[in-house]
Amino acid sequence: GGLMALHLYNITLEKGGAISCSCQGSFTEGKQQEVVVGKGQWLELLKIDETGHVQSVSMHNVYGVIRCLSAFRLHGASRDYLIVTSDSGRVVILQYDMKKSGWNKVLQETYGKTGLRRAVPGQYLASDPGGRAIMIGAIEKQKFAYILDRDNEAQITISSPLEAHKSGSITYNIVGLDVGYDNPVFAAIEVDHAEADEDPSETTEKHLVFYELDLGLYHVIRKCPWSDSPLPDTANLMIPVPGGESGPGGVLVCIDNYLLYMNSGHETLKEVIPRRQHMLPTTGLMIVCGTVRKQRSSYFVLLQSEYGDLYKVTFDVTPDKRMVTQIHIKYFDTVPVATSLSILKPGYLFVAAEFGNHKLYQFKGIGDDDDGCLIGAMTIAAKEGGEKEIFPLFAPRKLKNLELIDEVESLSPLIDLKVGDALEDIEGKRLYALSGRGPQSTIRILQHGLSLNELASSPLPAAPENVWTVKKSFASPYDDYIVVSFINATIVLSIGTTIQEVPDSGFQGNCATLVCQVMKDDSLVQIVEGCIYHIHGTKTNAWKTPGTRRIEKAAANERQVVISLEGGEVIYFELDQYGSLNEACKKKFDKEVSCLALGPIPEGRMRSRFLAIGFADRNVQIVTLDPDDALQMAATQGCNSEPEDIKIVNIANDASDREGSLCVFIGCKNGILIRSVIDRVSGTITDTRTKFCGTRPCKLVTTTAAGREAVMVLSSRSWLAYHYQGKQQLNPLSCPAFTRSASFCSEQCPEGVVAVTGNKLTIYSLDRLGDCFNQTSVPLKATPRAFVKHPHYPYYVIIETDHRAYTDEEKEGIKANMRASLAEEGEELPEEPNLPEKDYGAIKATQGKWSSYLRVWDPNSRKTLDLIELEENQAAFSATTCVFHDTQGEVHLVVGTVKDFIPNPRCYTSGLLLTFRFRGNGTQLELVHKTTVDGIPKALHPFQGRLLVGLSEKVMIFDLGKVKLLRKCENKQVPNLVMNITSHGDRVFVGDVTNSVFCMKYKKIQNQISVFAEDTIPRWTTAVVPLDHSTIAIGDKLGSITIARLDEHVSDEIENDPNCGRGSSKWLWDRGFLNGSPQRLQVIASYYVGCGITSMQKTTLTVGGVEVILYTTINGGIGCCVPITNRRDADMLKLLEMHIRQEMPPLAGRDHLAFRSYYSPQKSCTDGDYVELFDSLPLATQIQIGEELNRRPAEISKRLEEIRNKVL
């Protein structure tokens, strides 16, 4: 029916920042070193620029889950290929294409089923360092080896898969060994459980297994040289040691507390790993990742522990480099715990952090000159029959060998998000995101807009009218002067280490300047109200206006000048071959001119062919400047308001198109920006787009961004229109609005702007053009679990809870005990520096130990107003504000906590509901009382002046009492654990941890709450949002968004039942089938996002914007589903998505429709990111698709842009 029809359009606003895998190599050119990272379904290529900043070169959605990445170089090649394994059941080999700034699929080999399965390879990927073979492995049983080579045309080829399966085995890790020119060898850590399956008394053992790929016989030989000496059960990671001519080869096997060096034909060497001084003796120390730094003559291994400590491992070898005599391991530095480490030339370390921002460090030293901070040793008592174990101890220190030089922002793990109000000086709503884990946790303030980096600032004597940057010579790459025009004066500032005024610049300083421009012959043109000054060094020529007429508007490029006089007369000048500025022609228009713009001069031409003139009667004319028909109209464009400013620029269409389209940007007085394309031959105008940029008239400035021409739009908010990674972007700048600005280019700042706000001149650089949210971080003490806003004041209450964590008091006690025990052994413990826990981690406690905090936080000052630490080992999980019905509107805060909670298997002493009242205008919390309850209060929700509480599997209603909260009503129909409660009117929607959503109704007369409808299939619910009285949006742990609705006639029947509340046995709520509820929710839309949903809400992101379903994912992604209300648009989007699937199949070999239908079929939801690839298709394909859809390509891309513009 009409009401059941709903179509959503999914847009990614912020891509997930968590890096699951990465590899380094030379993908773009031979000597350049880059890192490729896999962020869930996004494949990103990063490089480090000359200034030491991490730059994103390209970002591609593979529409699949990236599992492993590896660089691979054929023997003798100068560049690397990228090998990707994903959930597509295929191995894909990609090569980077500089022309299109993207990856080309070179090879695709299918080997198994789709999806993430235990027995389908792809979980492990290892390549032979000699560039001859790769091995892909599954967790269970299967391994395939492939031989890679070139054919006669020098194209890469792949062999048939060579099986290396072993049934009944579980694999923990696979690496490729460095064996020089011998047969490729791969090492694996495996457990054989076949015998233990048959006989439970048998124990399983871990073994190191070598797989040799015989290139002559074309098969894989499995060798297990250490079959009689199994590895310890804690073996988890291997690092290959350089071999061939540069080293002994073999592998380092990481086990708890130790490193083993193993190689065939070599005895096993064992070395103990130094420990932190406060670690408990019973705690094992695990190595989580590592990398090898290989130079011409030397190499070392860098390992990282679960605490973030880096260790440098070196080897003593025999003179022939074949045998290792000893392993040396020492503490190097401490960085955030990483999923992977990459050492890049010339001395950078890229840390892909497990949680939070990724970091780039520079090596200041390689740790040869210190002892690794050793402070003593700890003796651990012998285990049965064994010897005593002695562990070296070290104290972490501030960075010594590394220096932090850049960060890549990541919101992972994103736990919750709220939409806040706009700041006074910056338009647009702010988002507040809870992010991080443990001491690294933060609350991030996100503002839609590009971040600007302030480089310098200088006060001016008054508020200027305009500002320009000017070069000394036209060919110079950098700007030399800043020209500032005031209402009756002009000053010239020189750009150097400082900004100083130039006294004898040749400019007229006693009047306001309309335009200044450096010409092709290095002369300068200054246009003032009554005159054009043409400055050649010390000589100045002047062209004065006839009579007393004033120049009102002017425009110039390096060879052409155009001015308009009062009364609508336009005069056009050209620079001749002798360096003189000559009047070429003039024309009288019968209307006032509002603005003028000259286009850029194409390469190899003498002039720009087009001039744009904006008139006061709301029209813009494009006129030609050809000598034969100068100032003749070629096209006209109507505006809905008088044009304020106008610019003509070249805007690139894609990466390979350097010239691009000639676009005219028109800024109107009502704050609307109009962008149209001008035909280079005829001058006609097509493809007009509009965007509301602010409440003030739009002024326009040309600048450069990402190496291309861009336009800055100045209204009540500043915007930048630019081309980035194959896509045309228009994003706001997150800074106070500029009144005037100009482009700025210097050696230190190749791309920047000089901007005026009031009477202050500031120089900014444009960094990170790919991040459309500007982030500010505020640190927290522990992992944030939820936050709630005070209904009347702008403050938030944040609950923070950490597992296996000590309170501050207990930490001091542990340190004191450690000192005492070392003193008994005669060791002296030095006073340690006070290192921040967010960088160095906290002391870990045992399971079931919790620390929790309540924080009142002010988002405007970014300060904590109140911080309460919870006692009695409480773990806080939920919070809400509630106005109880007999309290005269007083707001209470209720926090749900659990005492002595152990998550798995789930057990606890008791649950508690803590009730607080606000003091001091919402800035302080005061405990009213505690209520002991039987259950885990995971969900709280205010409901009709009472409180709904989800206690384990029960839903209860509480009211406020004098001594505690009073239980009024309960329902026991939820099967497992209540995760979410929300309501709409008198309907309550309850999300269960595994069984989706239950719709309940509260019957006031009987004081009963009963289930009247539930979902048809179980879902691991994490977020529930009511969209209207009978529709809900459900987000689940596996990454699906589902919109479910109650049938229309069922809804009416329930609401209008005449027997409601009279105890009728026929009443709808009381009948069920197999204990199920009488009604079922119907799924009307379903979509797989690709990562677990952590929060959802129905909101608008801009003032007056369209309502969207905003969701966040655990890996730091933010997205939204936009409702498409027009049936014709919905049909077009469905067809367009189908065509794009045929024209642009995903990179990693996954089928797009199958990926978006991971757990349930994609229904009534279009993938916005995917259909926006339409703009990057070849023009012929766009026209062909347009014919199928009965629309022109420009109409389609304009419609897609309009949908996105409605959101932000």
Side-chain angles (χ1 to χ4, degrees), residues 193-268:
H193 61 81
E195 289 176 6
D197 286 352
E198 290 166 15
D199 182 1
S201 63
E202 288 279 340
T203 56
T204 56
E205 294 176 341
K206 266 188 189 175
H207 284 281
L208 178 65
V209 181
F210 282 2
Y211 289 91
E212 185 180 333
L213 177 54
D214 193 316
L215 296 172
L217 297 173
Y218 213 60
H219 78 132
V220 182
I221 305 156
R222 185 177 190 271
K223 298 175 177 175
C224 188
W226 301 275
S227 53
D228 52 345
S229 54
L231 294 173
D233 283 346
T234 55
N236 67 312
L237 185 71
M238 291 182 291
I239 306 290
V241 177
E245 293 173 6
S246 53
V251 286
L252 266 182
V253 182
C254 305
I255 60 176
D256 274 13
N257 305 325
Y258 295 98
L259 291 184
L260 304 177
Y261 171 76
M262 301 176 83
N263 200 356
S264 50
H266 194 297
E267 66 168 328
T268 300

Side-chain angles (χ1 to χ4, degrees), residues 72-76 127-133 148 177-181 184:
F72 183 89
R73 186 180 298 201
L74 290 170
H75 187 66
S127 59
D128 166 46
R132 297 165 298 172
L148 300 177
L177 298 193
D178 190 348
V179 290
Y181 293 107

Side-chain angles (χ1 to χ4, degrees), residues 75-148:
H75 187 66
S78 63
R79 288 202 299 156
D80 289 317
Y81 290 99
L82 177 68
I83 302 176
V84 183
T85 61
S86 66
D87 60 345
S88 63
R90 294 168 165 160
V91 62
V92 176
I93 299 178
L94 306 174
Q95 187 173 28
Y96 194 76
D97 184 347
M98 293 288 284
K99 279 188 185 156
K100 72 170 194 178
S101 292
W103 297 95
N104 284 336
K105 198 187 291 183
V106 185
L107 275 176
Q108 175 172 295
E109 185 72 14
T110 308
Y111 57 74
K113 290 180 178 176
T114 60
L116 301 167
R117 302 167 195 265
R118 293 185 307 181
V120 175
Q123 185 63 30
Y124 304 110
L125 168 65
S127 59
D128 166 46
R132 297 165 298 172
I134 60 168
M135 178 176 268
I136 53 173
I139 291 173
E140 279 190 34
K141 185 182 172 183
Q142 296 197 10
K143 290 181 195 68
F144 286 121
Y146 290 97
I147 298 168
L148 300 177

Side-chain angles (χ1 to χ4, degrees), residues 899-1059:
K899 277 171 87 170
D900 309 324
F901 181 53
I902 293 175
N904 194 16
R906 204 185 295 152
C907 66
Y908 54 91
T909 310
S910 68
L912 283 173
L913 296 174
L914 312 180
T915 310
F916 295 87
R917 64 163 55 95
F918 287 95
R919 289 275 182 248
N921 294 340
T923 59
Q924 304 290 316
L925 290 174
E926 178 191 305
L927 183 66
V928 179
H929 50 58
K930 297 180 184 179
T931 310
T932 305
V933 289
D934 181 22
I936 303 168
K938 276 271 189 181
L940 306 174
H941 182 71
F943 180 71
Q944 298 179 0
R946 292 175 169 186
L947 180 71
L948 271 168
V949 182
L951 279 177
S952 296
E953 69 283 358
K954 299 187 286 288
V955 176
M956 294 192 179
I957 295 182
F958 284 84
D959 209 339
L960 186 67
K962 288 269 197 299
V963 188
K964 62 175 189 177
L965 293 173
L966 308 172
R967 192 170 71 188
K968 294 293 182 188
C969 164
E970 76 172 75
N971 175 297
K972 295 183 178 174
Q973 287 168 285
V974 181
N976 291 312
L977 174 68
V978 175
M979 292 296 284
N980 312 82
I981 299 182
T982 180
S983 65
H984 193 281
D986 55 0
R987 287 190 180 171
V988 177
F989 301 102
V990 177
D992 179 63
V993 67
T994 59
N995 272 48
S996 195
V997 173
F998 294 84
C999 306
M1000 299 186 180
K1001 180 152 181 176
Y1002 177 59
K1003 295 187 258 182
K1004 209 163 191 175
I1005 298 167
Q1006 285 103 324
N1007 190 26
Q1008 281 181 358
I1009 183 164
S1010 2
V1011 174
F1012 70 90
E1014 59 184 76
D1015 204 347
T1016 47
I1017 61 169
R1019 299 176 207 281
W1020 293 73
T1021 320
T1022 52
V1024 182
V1025 178
L1027 303 180
D1028 62 31
H1029 203 47
S1030 54
T1031 316
I1032 49 170
I1034 307 164
D1036 65 41
K1037 186 170 89 168
L1038 302 171
S1040 294
I1041 289 177
T1042 309
I1043 312 293
R1045 182 175 281 173
L1046 278 166
D1047 211 343
E1048 201 181 330
H1049 66 269
V1050 169
S1051 297
D1052 290 348
E1053 216 174 320
I1054 291 164
E1055 297 306 317
N1056 305 326
D1057 184 357
N1059 297 317

Side-chain angles (χ1 to χ4, degrees), residues 30-42:
K31 298 286 181 193
Q32 179 80 40
Q33 274 207 324
E34 295 109 353
V35 181
V36 175
V37 295
K39 296 179 169 181
Q41 51 188 312
W42 294 89

Side-chain angles (χ1 to χ4, degrees), residues 41 67 97 147 213 263 278 448 472 535 541 604 911 993 1155:
Q41 51 188 312
R67 301 171 81 182
D97 184 347
I147 298 168
L213 177 54
N263 200 356
H278 299 309
H448 177 230
K472 274 182 184 165
I535 305 159
N541 298 331
V993 67
F1155 176 69

Side-chain angles (χ1 to χ4, degrees), residues 585-601:
C585 64
K586 58 180 162 184
K587 183 174 180 180
K588 181 92 167 64
F589 291 89
D590 54 355
K591 43 195 173 183
E592 283 297 326
V593 173
S594 299
C595 45
L596 296 166
L598 280 163
I601 299 177

